Amino acid sequence: MFVAIIRGILGFAAAVLVAGVVQVLFVAGADVLAGSDKLESLGLLALLAATQSAVFAAPFTLIAAVIASWQSVRSVLFYAAAGLVIGLAGFFAQFAGEAGPETILNRYALTAYLASGLAAGLAYWYVAVPKSRAAMPNLPANSD
């Protein structure tokens, strides 16, 4: 049980970091990867975006993790879908909090939120979900 909780915390940390990087890459574009000083800025912005993602996504991630644990779900599709739903919820929360004529309601912003949610869901699955030996045929079986 303790190991599962630690895996979940590490998976959440990886997920929000990946989501932050994806969000920053959508905003800054590929030119941010050109120089070392720009990479430093990318890292700082990604950490700031990851912090905001973590604050919003924590309760939803906890709900998805509890459901997955309760139902013994290990499918990458579940975690990808959960990430997409959390990303979509973040998009609509941002839209609902807007005031004034400028809006986030456009395809590019929606794509950024969905891509970061998908990437975060996949990162969480990769780090936090134990993989079965049957799903990995290249691993040798225990000869104990």
Side-chain angles (χ1 to χ4, degrees), residues 92-105:
F92 285 124
Q94 180 71 29
F95 174 67
E98 291 180 341
E102 273 115 38
T103 179
I104 195 172
L105 195 57

Side-chain angles (χ1 to χ4, degrees), residues 108-128:
Y108 190 75
L110 178 62
T111 304
Y113 274 85
L114 290 177
S116 64
L118 177 66
L122 294 175
Y124 184 89
W125 172 81
Y126 185 76
V127 173

